Amino acid sequence: MSILVYIEQDQGKIKGSSLEAVSYAAGLSELQGGDVNVLGLGSIEAEEWNKVGGAGANAIYHIGDERLDQGVILAHADAIAKVFEKVGATTLVLAKSSLGDAVAARLAVKLGAGLVSNVVGLPDLSNGFVVKRSIFTGKAFADTSIDTENKILAVKKNIHPIKTDGGEAKVESLDLTISEENFVAKITGAEKAEGEILLPEADVVVSGGRGLKGPENWNMIEELADSLNAAKGCSKPVSDLGWRPHHEHVGQTGVKVAPTLYVAVAISGAIQHLAGVNASKYIVVINNDPDAPFFKAADYGIVGDAFDVVPKLTQAIKALK
Amino acid sequence: MKILVCITHVPDTTSKIQFTDNNTQLDKKGVQFIIGPYDDYALARAVELKAETSGNITVLNVGEVETEPTLRKALAIGADEAVRINAAPKDAFFVAKQIANYAKDKAFDLILMGRESIDFNGGMVHGMVGELLGMPSMSPVMKLEIEGDKGKLSREIEGGKEFIEVDLPFIAGCQEPIAEWKIPNMRGIMSARTKPLSVIEPAEEAERTAVNSYEMPPAKGAVKLVDNVDQLVDLLKNDAKIL
Ligand SMILES: Cc1cc2nc3c(=O)[nH]c(=O)nc-3n(C[C@H](O)[C@H](O)[C@H](O)COP(=O)(O)OP(=O)(O)OC[C@H]3O[C@@H](n4cnc5c(N)ncnc54)[C@H](O)[C@@H]3O)c2cc1C
Ligand SMILES: Nc1ncnc2c1ncn2[C@@H]1O[C@H](COP(=O)(O)O)[C@@H](O)[C@H]1O
């Protein structure tokens, strides 16, 4: 019945969504028993492990192979499969992400496991193993049963509280050999915004739309985002027009976010945009058109000119601190 | 170059999603079905690559007879032949098995899919097919060039992208801006009628997961509109308690 959690790191730090996955696994272990084993790959800062213990891990395994710092899909899947067997796990838990998905799919085949993605809660074990997942990009849910002995759950962000009161867990360094054939797809380089809050991980997101008229007006979005310690997002036309990089594009065909607070500035609220933000806890809309569809999906709204409202909002938030 | 493009047949992104039969079936009444938007990117890139390398495109769907108009549309956009594996897509693993069974002895140089289906949003089928066929699988791919027998691609990662080089054959789950969606022209629509669409019976495969029932999210309360930022900050602080 033991559980294995695969955690992801970003520049040596364990991702918040992965700590959430560990806490989810701890919740699962309370329901069905079994230890929570955690596997981290690549270079991870030593102090980071305390958080993993706090989140509810009973045992931690680490493969420090530097080739695993990057998300080499085949190599990660291979390493996880080996550790899954080693610890005698029957359930693999991981955070949904672009790497997590790619790895989980390959593992479903390797482990003969039933895989459910976009999981939004702990399973109901009263009649088999039934877990709720989000479908139709957040427009609905499906109660899904897994019929295989081995199971994989890819957990959506912000659906389970992150525990901090777990005990200390011992870190065991594993000396597993990941064979060369897992590196046939060579990562030759990367472009990554340094020091920015990752959009899919962010707790607060400030997004701007085409109503902002041009990239030169993004200063005020940046300042508002900074004041809220938020990640920046945008609508699809904004990234299509090249005003902002593609990885900031939120929605059906972009990043799906699940922050506590989503602030939408001069975005109309087309259904495809809403599909990427409907998992947000609170939505604030700033738009000069009172009939903008986004207001129907919002918790709070201001009908007004973004060029007037946003700087004032930034000031007011800064004044609080 | 021989390219396989796997497409889904899914409700248009503007569809209102509802369920019938005691919340066990999608209510298809009034719903317009389309090629999944990500699959449409995959197909568009395939059409461009075909023009560059004088290749051949097979488009495949695992679905029942209702999906044939969607396959015909893919033919009109530029695929050369269509294959329908005649089964309701039970779960990602079932679909992946059918695709792998079909592709395993056809020597495709490249298999393109969408990053995810927009009904079940799994983002899983490409990885599963990759593992079943022993091929590398990359997703979400935003750029894909073929140089000789090598693919050069960029994959979106959180906060940026990474560049990958990999030998053919491989599988890519595609997303924008890999190519611009292509709209079928009159000639395409005419020729699509006579291009081959073959129906293959599915291999017997058990699914591993099953949907017991569907559920709608709780209705959202009405928006609280305010006149100025002080009131907004007050709500964020005292109502939502997030500042
Ligand atoms: C298959 C498909 C997938 C798609 N996927 C996505 C997706 O993932 N993400 C996405 O965002 N879109 C997506 N779209 C596009 C979507 O349909 C909309 O076209 C898009 O979201 C509109 O972006 P926008 O709101 O920024 O621009 P607009 O629709 O141009 O809206 C601009 C808004 O700004 C307001 N405004 C203007 N000036 C001001 C001002 N001074 N102050 C305040 N407000 C102002 C206007 O009232 C208006 O509401 C998709 C479309 C399709 C067909
Ligand atoms: N029933 C199907 N028939 C053909 N291809 C499919 C089917 N379902 C999924 N795919 C392909 O797999 C991709 C990922 O789907 P999913 O794993 O369901 O998100 C889709 O974008 C399609 O390219």
Side-chain angles (χ1 to χ4, degrees):
Chain A
M1 277 305 215
S2 130
I3 304 168
L4 180 66
V5 188
Y6 161 61
I7 55 172
E8 285 183 55
Q9 51 117 348
D10 178 49
Q11 293 160 52
K13 301 254 190 301
I14 292 162
K15 286 167 55 175
S17 54
S18 289
L19 293 174
E20 187 176 335
V22 175
S23 304
Y24 178 95
L28 180 61
S29 120
E30 274 172 35
L31 290 180
Q32 66 170 29
D35 275 353
V36 177
N37 303 283
V38 170
L39 172 63
L41 302 176
S43 316
I44 296 176
E45 291 172 16
E47 313 82 73
E48 289 290 296
W49 298 120
N50 296 334
K51 297 187 201 161
V52 180
N58 300 114
I60 299 173
Y61 299 90
H62 179 215
I63 303 176
D65 188 335
E66 277 173 20
R67 295 175 304 168
L68 301 176
D69 286 1
Q70 289 168 310
V72 188
I73 295 164
L74 297 183
H76 279 227
D78 189 43
I80 298 165
K82 288 190 171 128
V83 177
F84 189 87
E85 229 156 78
K86 178 186 151 62
V87 302
T90 53
T91 310
L92 175 69
V93 174
L94 45 82
K96 182 158 174 85
S97 73
S98 74
L99 179 61
D101 283 347
V103 166
R106 298 197 75 106
L107 282 163
V109 174
K110 282 186 198 286
L111 305 175
L115 160 58
V116 175
S117 182
N118 278 311
V119 168
V120 296
L122 287 169
D124 176 355
L125 302 179
S126 61
N127 189 5
F129 190 104
V130 181
V131 70
K132 189 182 301 228
R133 66 175 156 148
S134 156
I135 56 169
F136 288 102
T137 329
K139 287 186 201 167
F141 298 100
D143 283 323
T144 307
S145 64
I146 307 184
D147 306 326
T148 44
E149 158 101 7
N150 284 349
K151 299 175 179 68
I152 304 180
L153 304 174
V155 181
K156 210 170 145 83
K157 191 184 174 295
N158 252 348
I159 57 106
H160 197 89
I162 299 179
K163 260 165 73 84
T164 50
D165 61 353
E168 219 169 278
K170 223 179 102 240
V171 185
E172 184 180 331
S173 194
L174 295 180
D175 197 13
L176 265 180
T177 327
I178 311 294
S179 66
E180 267 312 308
E181 73 212 39
N182 290 302
F183 295 88
V184 288
K186 286 193 187 57
I187 300 180
T188 55
E191 266 170 30
K192 201 161 166 297
E194 291 285 323
E196 280 198 14
I197 302 167
L198 297 177
L199 186 54
E201 293 281 307
D203 205 40
V204 182
V205 175
V206 176
S207 275
R210 186 157 54 186
L212 290 173
K213 298 185 178 67
E216 66 280 7
N217 296 324
W218 241 259
N219 269 352
M220 65 183 193
I221 296 294
E222 264 155 29
E223 279 164 20
L224 178 57
D226 283 347
S227 76
L228 286 165
N229 211 4
K232 294 184 295 287
C234 66
S235 65
K236 176 164 156 43
V238 167
S239 73
D240 287 350
L241 290 162
W243 297 357
R244 299 299 304 170
H246 188 270
H247 66 259
E248 288 187 6
H249 149 201
V250 170
Q252 177 96 56
T253 47
V255 180
K256 280 101 188 155
V257 297
T260 307
L261 174 64
Y262 187 79
V263 183
V265 182
I267 302 177
S268 58
I271 193 156
Q272 298 94 354
H273 188 83
L274 297 183
V277 307
N278 53 20
S280 310
K281 200 150 175 217
Y282 290 95
I283 294 179
V284 170
V285 168
I286 300 168
N287 198 299
N288 61 5
D289 173 6
D291 295 324
F294 221 142
F295 284 118
K296 291 210 178 69
D299 298 280
Y300 310 127
I302 296 188
V303 179
D305 184 353
F307 294 90
D308 172 48
V309 175
V310 172
K312 282 187 187 150
L313 182 58
T314 308
Q315 281 308 317
I317 288 163
K318 277 191 186 151
L320 273 186
K321 298 190 174 164
Chain B
M1 189 161 68
K2 262 184 87 174
I3 308 175
L4 177 67
V5 181
C6 300
I7 64 168
T8 54
H9 162 90
V10 287
D12 175 9
T13 50
T14 58
S15 305
K16 188 164 184 314
I17 299 302
Q18 283 174 307
F19 301 99
T20 61
D21 291 5
N22 230 347
N23 284 324
T24 59
Q25 300 290 328
L26 175 69
D27 184 353
K28 296 182 181 167
K29 249 198 305 347
V31 172
Q32 160 116 28
F33 282 83
I34 56 165
I35 301 176
Y38 295 106
D39 312 340
D40 229 356
Y41 286 122
L43 179 61
R45 188 63 192 131
V47 169
E48 293 171 1
L49 287 172
K50 173 183 150 179
E52 285 169 26
T53 63
S54 72
N56 163 284
I57 302 171
T58 303
V59 56
L60 178 151
N61 170 260
V62 180
E64 295 180 299
V65 67
E66 61 185 9
T67 73
E68 288 192 4
T70 301
L71 282 167
R72 287 271 174 225
K73 185 170 175 213
L75 292 171
I77 288 172
D80 299 287
E81 59 177 296
V83 173
R84 181 172 67 83
I85 299 178
N86 186 26
K90 294 187 223 167
D91 74 346
F93 183 72
F94 174 85
V95 169
K97 269 286 207 180
Q98 302 302 334
I99 296 174
N101 281 340
Y102 171 78
K104 64 174 189 270
D105 52 8
K106 307 265 184 325
F108 289 107
D109 298 298
L110 183 62
I111 302 181
L112 297 184
M113 304 196 195
R115 157 205 191 138
E116 67 178 31
S117 58
I118 64 161
D119 47 5
F120 289 107
N121 312 113
M124 299 292 165
V125 170
H126 28 74
M128 289 178 175
V129 174
E131 188 67 29
L132 287 165
L133 295 177
M135 281 185 201
S137 54
M138 272 81 47
S139 176
V141 172
M142 337 165 48
K143 197 162 182 274
L144 169 62
E145 304 292 342
I146 303 294
E147 289 176 17
D149 57 2
K150 241 191 190 38
K152 291 196 168 173
L153 41 99
S154 79
R155 187 175 90 87
E156 186 155 78
I157 54 175
E158 287 163 359
K161 52 191 162 189
E162 67 186 17
F163 307 104
I164 299 176
E165 276 186 31
V166 58
D167 288 344
L168 294 170
F170 61 87
I171 301 178
C174 303
Q175 74 167 27
E176 64 170 18
I178 196 163
E180 298 243 350
W181 286 323
K182 306 235 173 330
I183 298 160
N185 58 25
M186 210 50 209
R187 218 179 100 233
I189 295 168
M190 297 303 288
S191 69
R193 293 188 190 154
T194 53
K195 286 180 180 170
L197 189 164
S198 36
V199 179
I200 296 179
E201 288 310 313
E204 212 131 336
E205 296 291 350
E207 70 266 36
R208 292 174 174 177
T209 64
V211 173
N212 296 358
S213 67
Y214 296 105
E215 198 179 300
M216 299 303 288
K220 186 114 193 160
V223 58
K224 290 185 185 155
L225 285 180
V226 297
D227 298 322
N228 60 54
V229 297
D230 294 330
Q231 287 170 308
L232 178 60
V233 169
D234 184 62
L235 280 174
L236 289 175
K237 208 170 136 193
N238 299 315
D239 191 44
K241 304 194 165 51
I242 40 183
L243 284 183

